Amino acid sequence: MKVGIFPGSFDPFTKGHESIVRTALDFFDEIIIAIGVNSKKTAYFSTDKRIAHIKSLFKERVSVVDYEGLTVDLCRKYSSPIILRGLRDSKDFEYEKSIAFMNRDLANFETIFLLTDIHFSHINSSIVREIHANGGDISSFVTNANILV
Ligand code: ADP
């Protein structure tokens, strides 16, 4: 059974994140979407809303959890050695590369990168939050956005 862990803030989970998971389901038996929670930082959308929203998007083979602490500890908990991340551009790659090397050093866990769907490569959670905070419609960027609001 091949299980991949997709960690992130997902504040909110956008169509870009969604397309990464849908593509990954071709290669993994199960994907665990793991919402990283930082007790010292308040997220824009609550953890409960983010969990309910992501759960509404997938019928099977995907589960959603929240976690605090190191992603490698989460991987140990679920006995999954594969971390999944998405790439939009070379800036993402440079940042993701450092994290992936450190996770390899920390615990020998590998990271698999999937390139975003070209239609969603401009979507960025922090801009989506900004639009929402200013009363804009985020439904072009987030499927089932009504569940978040
Ligand atoms: P983090 O705070 O861990 O970077 P994010 O929720 O911003 O969490 O992103 C989680 C993962 O999804 C990261 O690997 C990021 O590069 C990727 N990602 C973010 N936006 C997109 C997008 N539009 N298309 C594909 N991947 C994306």
Side-chain angles (χ1 to χ4, degrees), residues 24 27 56 61 64 87 96 114-115 140 149:
F27 308 106
S56 78
R61 298 199 287 133
V64 189
L87 296 178
E96 295 290 342
L114 289 178
L115 280 179
S140 313
V149 292

Side-chain angles (χ1 to χ4, degrees), residues 10-107:
F10 306 126
D11 190 22
F13 190 89
T14 67
K15 289 186 179 180
H17 298 128
E18 187 183 340
S19 82
I20 294 290
V21 173
R22 295 203 190 283
T23 305
L25 283 169
D26 290 342
F27 308 106
F28 290 95
D29 299 303
E30 193 193 329
I31 304 285
I32 300 170
I33 299 173
I35 302 176
V37 177
N38 180 344
S39 55
K40 294 193 197 84
K41 239 173 71 185
T42 313
Y44 182 78
F45 293 105
S46 72
T47 305
D48 286 350
K49 275 195 176 164
R50 279 180 286 162
I51 291 176
H53 171 243
I54 300 171
K55 280 188 173 165
S56 78
L57 302 174
F58 303 100
K59 285 205 178 69
E60 48 195 21
R61 298 199 287 133
V62 176
S63 53
V64 189
V65 300
D66 61 303
Y67 76 106
E68 260 195 85
L70 296 176
T71 302
V72 290
D73 290 332
L74 181 83
C75 291
R76 283 195 193 97
K77 182 171 163 191
Y78 289 100
S79 308
S80 168
I82 305 290
I83 298 167
L84 174 66
R85 295 285 281 179
L87 296 178
R88 284 164 292 190
D89 52 27
S90 55
K91 227 170 76 215
D92 270 354
F93 175 70
E94 287 303 325
Y95 173 70
E96 295 290 342
K97 189 177 67 173
S98 307
I99 303 178
F101 276 135
M102 308 246 304
N103 284 331
R104 205 189 250 174
D105 282 354
L106 275 173

